[in-house]
Amino acid sequence: MRAKHIASLSVLILAQLGCSTDRKPGSEPAPGAAPAPAAEGPSPMQASASGIAPLQKKQFGAPITETSTTPLPTLLQDPSKFSGKTVRTEGVVSAVCKSMGCWMEIADESGSAHIKMAGHSFFVPKDASGHRAVVQGNLVAAEAEEGAACGAKDNCRGEAEKQTGRVAKVELEATGVQFLD
C-alpha cells in the first residue's frame, strides 16, 4: 500500500516538473524536442483559431451594420481622419481583459487597436485570444484617453501592454463584436 502511494506521488511530481514553465538558465531541451517559441511569439497575422477552443457565442453587443471594412493599417496610419466616426475593422484578438472581458486588443502586422466595450454594456469571452474578430465602434480621440472609462482608473491599457508587450496606437469604443472563427 505504501509503495503504491509513493509511486503515485512520484508520478504527480514528475508530471508537475514536466508542466513547469520555469526553466533553469542553460537547460537544454530534450533531443528531438521542438524548439522553444520565440519570446515575441507568432505575428498576429499568423495566429489562427486552430487548436483554440471554439467560442460558444460569436456575436456580442449590437449587430454589425457597417458594410465596408476599414483595414486596421488604414486606421493606424491616420487615426485623426476617423476620430469620432463609426468604423468597422477586423483583426486577430491579441489580448483580453482577464477579469470581465470588458476590453480586448486586435492586431495585425501593422500594429494593434485597443477595443473597449461601450460603457461595459457587453463583454467578450476571456478566452477569445487568437480568434479573428470584426469590430464596429467609434474611434476615440487620443486626448480622451485620460478620462476615459477604460483608462488610468482601471488600468486596462496597462494590462493589455503586459499581455502583448506593446501599446495600441488607436482605441475603439465597440458597439458590436463578431468572432469569425
Side-chain angles (χ1 to χ4, degrees), residues 41-55 91-94 107 127-133 179-181:
S43 77
M45 288 305 289
Q46 294 171 331
S48 74
S50 62
I52 298 174
L55 299 173
V92 175
V93 179
S94 58
D127 59 350
S129 286
H131 289 276
R132 189 154 194 80
F179 292 97
L180 301 176
D181 52 17

Side-chain angles (χ1 to χ4, degrees), residues 16-121:
Q16 181 64 30
L17 290 173
C19 293
S20 174
T21 57
D22 296 334
R23 300 281 182 231
K24 297 202 185 312
S27 66
E28 296 296 320
E40 295 175 29
S43 77
M45 288 305 289
Q46 294 171 331
S48 74
S50 62
I52 298 174
L55 299 173
Q56 291 182 356
K57 186 177 171 186
K58 303 275 185 173
Q59 177 69 44
F60 298 87
I64 307 240
T65 56
E66 288 291 315
T67 55
S68 65
T69 299
T70 304
L72 193 52
T74 304
L75 288 175
L76 296 170
Q77 189 174 28
D78 189 7
S80 62
K81 181 179 173 184
F82 302 96
S83 183
K85 295 181 181 176
T86 299
V87 295
R88 170 190 167 137
T89 193
E90 65 181 77
V92 175
V93 179
S94 58
V96 179
C97 171
K98 297 299 180 194
S99 295
M100 299 185 337
C102 61
W103 61 264
M104 69 180 191
E105 294 218 351
I106 59 170
D108 68 11
E109 69 277 349
S110 66
S112 60
H114 185 78
I115 314 297
K116 57 185 181 179
M117 306 316 144
H120 289 95
S121 60

